[in-house]
């Protein structure tokens, strides 16, 4: 049964479409150049406001340059939680004690080991490992190859770059951005950019891009 639309038609959306094709109606994207075209063989049906009645939805947009974009789009859609699909790649492994919220996407080879809590509209890219008692809030993006040790808390709308490692019990604040390959040994405050090994403060995330 085809009952799903993906908001966005960029890289993350295309990756998600590859394992959701059997139920996928098409993409919705506000780029007028994409309207009426096919992206990887999937039709772009219209703009993001043109959600078919009764269709399930997943918002697949995101960028480290604007980590609030997914929250803003979901806010504009203003759909009830039951309208959002939760998509888990068949090669991902989610333990029986873990939970994943509506609108979230787990791509290939993601692992949630024990009592992991993933909120709504979270994007988790390939080869990510979340270990015991990690808590990931709504609208977080976790890029490929990230590893979180046990008991890590990631705040709403944070972005963790590819290959980042986070020590057990650390907190990544809301709207924070952790750079590619960073080794996080201390808490990262809300709205700050940290990078390096060990990770250190670089600057603040701009207010324009932080909030959804």
């Amino acid at each position: 049964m085809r009952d799903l639309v993906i908001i966005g038609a960029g890289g993350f959306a295309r990756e998600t479409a590859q394992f959701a094709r059997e139920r996928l109606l098409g993409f919705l994207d506000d780029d007028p150049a994409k309207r009426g075209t096919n992206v990887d063989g999937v039709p772009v049906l219209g703009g993001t406001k043109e959600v078919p009645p009764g269709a399930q939805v997943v918002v697949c947009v995101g960028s480290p340059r604007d980590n609030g974009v997914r929250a803003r789009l979901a806010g504009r859609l203003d759909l009830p939680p039951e309208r959002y699909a939760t998509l888990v790649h068949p090669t991902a492994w989610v333990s029986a004690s873990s939970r994943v919220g509506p609108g979230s996407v787990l791509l290939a080879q993601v692992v949630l080991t024990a009592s992991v809590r993933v909120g709504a509209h979270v994007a988790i890219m390939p080869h990510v490992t979340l270990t015991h008692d990690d808590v990931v809030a709504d609208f977080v993006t976790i890029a490929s190859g990230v590893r979180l040790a046990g008991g890590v808390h990631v705040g709403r709308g944070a972005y963790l770059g590819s290959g980042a490692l986070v020590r057990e019990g650390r907190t990544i604040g809301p709207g924070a951005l952790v750079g590619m390959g960073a080794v996080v040994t201390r808490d990262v405050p809300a709205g700050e950019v940290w990078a390096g090994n060990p990770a250190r403060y670089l600057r603040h995330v701009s207010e324009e891009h932080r909030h959804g």
Side-chain angles (χ1 to χ4, degrees):
M1 177 181 178
R2 294 186 181 271
D3 65 344
L4 175 71
V5 292
I6 293 176
I7 304 295
F12 175 36
R14 292 166 55 211
E15 290 174 329
T16 301
Q18 293 305 303
F19 74 93
R21 292 177 79 97
E22 290 187 1
R23 59 178 296 195
L24 185 58
L25 291 166
F27 298 118
L28 297 177
D29 194 286
D30 289 331
D31 183 350
K34 292 180 180 177
R35 186 184 294 259
T37 67
N38 285 283
V39 177
D40 292 343
V42 177
V44 179
L45 303 173
T48 57
K49 295 181 179 180
E50 300 175 56
V51 177
Q56 290 276 285
V57 177
V58 64
V59 182
C60 291
V61 297
S63 166
R65 294 176 295 278
D66 185 359
N67 53 338
V69 63
R70 195 157 60 254
R72 293 197 301 274
L73 263 175
R76 289 203 294 268
L77 290 171
D78 195 27
L79 296 171
E82 59 269 20
R83 289 289 301 279
Y84 289 103
T86 300
L87 301 180
V88 178
H89 193 280
T91 65
W93 189 79
V94 178
S95 68
S97 60
S98 297
R99 299 290 180 269
V100 180
S104 291
V105 177
L106 279 58
L107 293 181
Q109 303 294 323
V110 169
V111 174
L112 277 56
T113 64
S115 297
V116 176
R117 296 292 180 267
V118 173
H121 304 286
V122 174
I124 305 183
M125 305 305 174
H127 297 280
V128 167
T129 299
L130 307 181
T131 57
H132 67 88
D133 305 305
D134 288 339
V135 177
V136 178
D138 300 346
F139 299 106
V140 167
T141 298
I142 303 179
S144 58
V146 169
R147 303 287 189 267
L148 304 187
V152 171
H153 285 232
V154 183
R156 176 186 169 99
Y159 190 107
L160 278 62
S162 297
L165 305 176
V166 182
R167 185 176 181 175
E168 69 275 4
R170 301 302 91 183
T171 295
I172 310 297
L177 191 155
V178 174
M180 294 174 61
V183 177
V184 179
T185 60
R186 295 182 290 162
D187 291 349
V188 176
E192 293 187 0
V193 179
W194 283 46
N197 180 8
R200 295 179 175 86
Y201 169 79
L202 295 183
R203 59 180 174 82
H204 275 80
V205 177
S206 70
E207 288 298 310
E208 176 187 0
H209 291 161
R210 177 179 165 189
H211 298 296

